[in-house]
Amino acid sequence: MGSLSTNVSASNPFRDRILAGEVCAVMSVKVVLSNEIAMMTKMAGIHGMFIDMEHSSSDLSQVAQLILACTYAGVSPLVRVPSQSPWHISRVLDSGAAAVIVPHVETVDEVKALVRAAKYAPLGARGCANNQPILHFRSLPSPVQNEVLNRETMLIPMIETPGAVDLAEEFLSIDGVDGILIGSNDLCSDYGIHGQYDNPIYQDAVTKIVLAGKKYGKPIGIGGIGGRADLLEKWFAMGASWSLSGGDQAMLLAGLKALGEKYNGINERVQEARKSS
């Protein structure tokens, strides 16, 4: 008997792109949570939005509205939850997240617990609820809905410590894990080489994880080095498929700084001209 869900799919252009072997940029948001940012991201040709609940004050109701805006704009909402709590994971997924990203995962037992929280039976033990936002609120038989969401919504643990680097293959071998995101800054900090992205220790760790992802056919993302296109391109060529490529705070600050410097320069020239007139 074939799959019950052959003709049903979730809205997840990020997943479609990376599973097709394409490189995918992802926009990070912490402070700009209005619906417009989803539409701007789509217009920019970016297929995924990383909504950060770990390092922001965003609450679930705000995030849920942005998730809906992303889904209907055609951008995959990827949500980093603030903890490994099943409560955080299930509520974000029930709000329509295309992927749940879990920080600071360090053991195989932790990964298995995440699968139980994020996946429906038989993979896990996520509680069933119909009319899911990622399926555009369609009412489907539970076996069909659950099969689709187990397959097409993503559980992505983060590797941010040296010990977890050594377990990358074990993490990726677990059914229900859909990829890994590397947290470069925390990883470098734990190695005692904070910010040293050219250090062989960091580079070897990332290479090890990327090759593990290639071995198991699961996508690897790289966070924290969006400004290092040279390193990203190297790892993309090796098999990584996505990165946290730009953030709302950094983009706003860069634009504001450029504007401030422009007008400070104008002011200095005007003041000099006035003195000499």
Side-chain angles (χ1 to χ4, degrees):
M1 184 175 178
S3 170
L4 296 169
S5 62
T6 303
N7 298 318
V8 181
S9 63
S11 174
N12 197 345
F14 164 80
R15 176 180 179 271
D16 296 341
R17 186 176 177 90
I18 60 177
L19 291 186
E22 299 183 51
V23 171
C24 194
V26 173
M27 170 69 178
S28 300
V29 299
K30 294 181 182 180
V31 295
V32 182
L33 300 178
S34 62
N35 292 346
E36 289 84 355
I37 193 64
M39 301 172 197
M40 292 177 187
T41 300
K42 172 66 174 179
M43 288 299 295
I46 296 172
H47 298 83
M49 180 180 291
F50 182 85
I51 305 170
D52 192 355
M53 296 184 74
E54 182 190 14
H55 295 300
S56 76
S57 59
S58 307
D59 63 37
L60 184 59
S61 61
Q62 291 173 302
V63 168
Q65 294 304 301
L66 183 52
I67 286 171
L68 287 177
C70 286
T71 299
Y72 280 89
V75 174
S76 293
L78 322 174
V79 182
R80 177 161 66 180
V81 290
S83 78
Q84 297 182 26
S85 166
W87 179 87
H88 281 134
I89 292 166
S90 65
R91 294 197 72 190
V92 161
L93 288 170
D94 283 344
S95 296
V100 60
I101 298 169
V102 186
H104 305 292
V105 180
E106 297 192 57
T107 70
V108 170
D109 285 343
E110 287 176 347
V111 174
K112 290 178 178 178
L114 297 179
V115 172
R116 287 193 294 273
K119 301 292 183 177
Y120 297 111
L123 280 177
R126 178 182 169 189
C128 298
N130 213 319
N131 306 109
Q132 289 284 327
I134 196 170
L135 295 171
H136 296 170
F137 298 100
R138 283 175 289 180
S139 181
L140 298 168
S142 290
V144 173
Q145 173 192 270
N146 295 0
E147 184 176 322
V148 171
L149 296 185
N150 271 1
R151 181 179 68 233
E152 298 185 18
T153 59
M154 303 178 76
L155 169 63
I156 303 175
M158 290 189 68
I159 287 182
E160 303 178 84
T161 62
V165 172
D166 293 335
L167 294 171
E169 284 206 23
E170 291 186 62
F171 288 1
L172 289 162
S173 71
I174 296 170
D175 198 9
V177 172
D178 300 297
I180 292 289
L181 173 62
I182 300 167
S184 296
N185 287 307
D186 283 342
L187 182 58
C188 284
S189 181
D190 271 23
Y191 276 126
I193 53 170
H194 189 69
Q196 298 178 34
Y197 307 125
D198 294 304
N199 191 299
I201 295 173
Y202 165 72
Q203 296 218 0
D204 289 350
V206 175
T207 297
K208 181 176 182 177
I209 297 166
V210 170
L211 293 178
K214 186 175 182 179
K215 176 179 177 179
Y216 286 93
K218 295 182 179 181
I220 304 300
I222 303 171
I225 59 167
R228 289 296 305 270
D230 58 327
L231 293 179
L232 289 172
E233 189 162 348
K234 178 183 79 170
W235 284 314
F236 290 150
M238 195 179 294
S241 52
W242 63 284
S243 73
L244 302 184
S245 315
D248 56 355
Q249 287 179 314
M251 291 178 176
L252 281 167
L253 284 168
L256 288 167
K257 184 178 179 181
L259 183 64
E261 289 175 348
K262 176 182 177 180
Y263 274 83
N264 285 335
I266 291 172
N267 178 60
E268 289 173 7
R269 292 190 295 274
V270 167
Q271 297 307 319
E272 287 299 319
R274 287 175 178 172
K275 287 176 185 178
S276 60
S277 62

